[in-house]
Amino acid sequence: MIVLGLLIISIGAFCQSSSYVPINRIKDWSWESYWIVQGVFAWLVLPFLGMLLAIPEGHSLGELFDTAPAFNILMTILFGILWGVGGLTFGLSMRYLGVALGQSIALGTCAAGGTVLGPVLLNAFFPEQDAISQITSSVIIGVVATLIGIAVIGMAGWMKSRTLSDEEKKDAVKDFNFPKGICIALLAGVMSGCFNVGLTFGADINFGELTPAIYRTLPATFLVTLGGFVTNAAYCFFQNTRNRTWDDYGKGSVWLNNVLFCLLAGALWYSQFFGLSLGKGFLTDSPTLMTLSFCILMALNVVFSNLWGIILKEWKGCTKTTLTVLVTGILILIVSCFLPQLI
């Protein structure tokens, strides 16, 4: 059962890491236009449909939110809004570092912060729940192993920036800027970790035993992505106004093509958290893996994003030593997913 749960989470991670590929097929739209349109699918439509799976027969959405504590609902949305900031800067991290390195640094920071901050903050508001007890030595070891893997991949990125010429860097990643990219990626990671904090506050927003274990986190997922949509919509609409790109949405010749690829990108992105919910339903016998599930998802996202980076030739021209360091970091991340269960 545990292996099946990890496999489902892995599939979700692969889909997320592939979600930026369809964006390359979008035509004649500004960044802010395609970003918010794919967000409609990724953060509103698909999470809402997913949430409906958590509503047992004879019950309703109104009943779900009427019975859930208002404080938990508000905190879940609030941390979704904060996560939205991470989502915006996340895109910038890939602009300056590329898909592989940008996702690696941001998601590594997100994995550690999201895993630890959730129980800590929940314990601060509800000490009687003793949520801090979830952070066991095995969990800490898993987080540390993940951070080591990220650090090794970061070292590969630094080696890449030292060995490639400016022309080669620009050929692989048009706006490559290692110092700026690292700062933005770290900020994106810290803010993106708020996603799991929101999930922690919304963990009980369901119908308990009446909701299948594999669907219980889907209502909280919707509330977090709803908050993130608010942040992203405000920024994208501001950019539409400032850059005078509102007419993007009325370009009939590319509208169908762009919406379809935005839908595909949004579906692939949402698959990671749909898979996380399904996968956690098979990890209930392992409290350690339940706590680490978000960290595992982020680690696997990094693994697959770097594989995409290799496919997209972002590491083209690097030395064998650099590639060896990169592969070593990937292997450490894979081991980190299973290490806590072996301890």
Side-chain angles (χ1 to χ4, degrees):
M1 295 290 283
I2 288 178
V3 173
L4 179 58
L6 292 175
L7 177 61
I8 293 173
I9 293 175
S10 299
I11 293 173
F14 174 77
C15 289
Q16 188 279 337
S17 300
S18 307
S19 65
Y20 294 92
V21 177
I23 287 178
N24 293 327
R25 302 296 298 274
I26 294 173
K27 303 175 181 178
D28 200 25
W29 270 10
S30 62
W31 175 88
E32 57 268 20
S33 298
Y34 75 67
W35 187 252
I36 195 59
V37 172
Q38 69 84 32
V40 169
F41 297 111
W43 310 321
L44 289 184
V45 176
L46 295 173
F48 179 80
L49 294 176
M51 177 175 60
L52 296 180
L53 295 173
I55 310 300
E57 187 177 353
H59 297 271
S60 66
L61 279 175
E63 183 182 352
L64 172 67
F65 293 119
D66 284 342
T67 56
F71 177 80
N72 290 62
I73 293 176
L74 291 174
M75 291 297 286
T76 304
I77 296 175
L78 172 62
F79 280 102
I81 292 173
L82 296 176
W83 160 75
V85 177
L88 289 171
T89 50
F90 188 82
L92 287 176
S93 70
M94 288 183 292
R95 174 182 176 181
Y96 293 118
L97 297 177
V99 172
L101 187 56
Q103 288 207 55
S104 298
I105 304 301
L107 292 179
T109 309
C110 174
T115 299
V116 175
L117 282 178
V120 169
L121 291 177
L122 193 65
N123 193 82
F125 285 101
F126 304 104
E128 68 279 3
Q129 295 184 15
D130 192 28
I132 198 73
S133 63
Q134 298 175 20
I135 307 179
T136 63
S137 58
S138 295
V139 169
I140 293 175
I141 290 173
V143 171
V144 170
T146 299
L147 289 176
I148 290 174
I150 297 299
V152 172
I153 290 176
M155 177 61 69
W158 178 79
M159 294 169 66
K160 170 186 175 181
S161 70
R162 290 288 298 270
T163 57
L164 296 182
S165 66
D166 289 340
E167 184 177 340
E168 288 174 318
K169 293 175 187 176
K170 300 298 182 183
D171 184 54
V173 180
K174 182 179 179 181
D175 298 316
F176 187 83
N177 187 315
F178 188 72
K180 181 186 292 186
I182 285 294
C183 294
I184 293 175
L186 290 173
L187 173 63
V190 171
M191 300 306 291
S192 294
C194 291
F195 197 108
N196 196 47
V197 179
L199 292 183
T200 302
F201 274 95
D204 295 328
I205 303 178
N206 52 61
F207 289 94
E209 295 299 323
L210 295 177
T211 300
I214 58 176
Y215 300 142
R216 286 178 191 164
T217 64
L218 292 178
T221 300
F222 169 72
L223 293 176
V224 174
T225 57
L226 174 63
F229 179 80
V230 171
T231 306
N232 282 267
Y235 181 76
C236 288
F237 293 156
F238 168 76
Q239 290 295 329
N240 279 141
T241 301
R242 189 177 75 167
N243 299 328
R244 299 180 180 179
T245 53
W246 284 102
D247 61 337
D248 283 349
Y249 307 114
K251 294 177 178 177
S253 60
V254 298
W255 195 88
L256 181 60
N257 173 85
N258 290 358
V259 169
L260 286 176
F261 280 111
C262 282
L263 170 59
L264 178 57
L268 290 171
W269 184 92
Y270 176 63
S271 294
Q272 64 177 316
F273 292 111
F274 187 75
L276 177 65
S277 181
L278 298 185
K280 288 176 71 172
F282 295 96
L283 301 179
T284 53
D285 292 334
S286 175
T288 296
L289 289 182
M290 283 288 286
T291 303
L292 271 174
S293 58
F294 183 80
C295 186
I296 291 172
L297 174 65
M298 295 300 110
L300 290 173
N301 282 344
V302 172
V303 170
F304 290 122
S305 67
N306 275 282
L307 293 179
W308 271 116
I310 294 173
I311 293 172
L312 296 175
K313 299 181 179 180
E314 292 181 358
W315 296 91
K316 181 181 178 181
C318 293
T319 65
K320 290 184 178 180
T321 301
T322 300
L323 292 176
T324 299
V325 173
L326 172 66
V327 173
T328 300
I330 291 174
L331 292 176
I332 292 174
L333 286 179
I334 294 175
V335 171
S336 73
C337 297
F338 303 94
L339 182 61
Q341 188 64 18
L342 302 176
I343 298 176

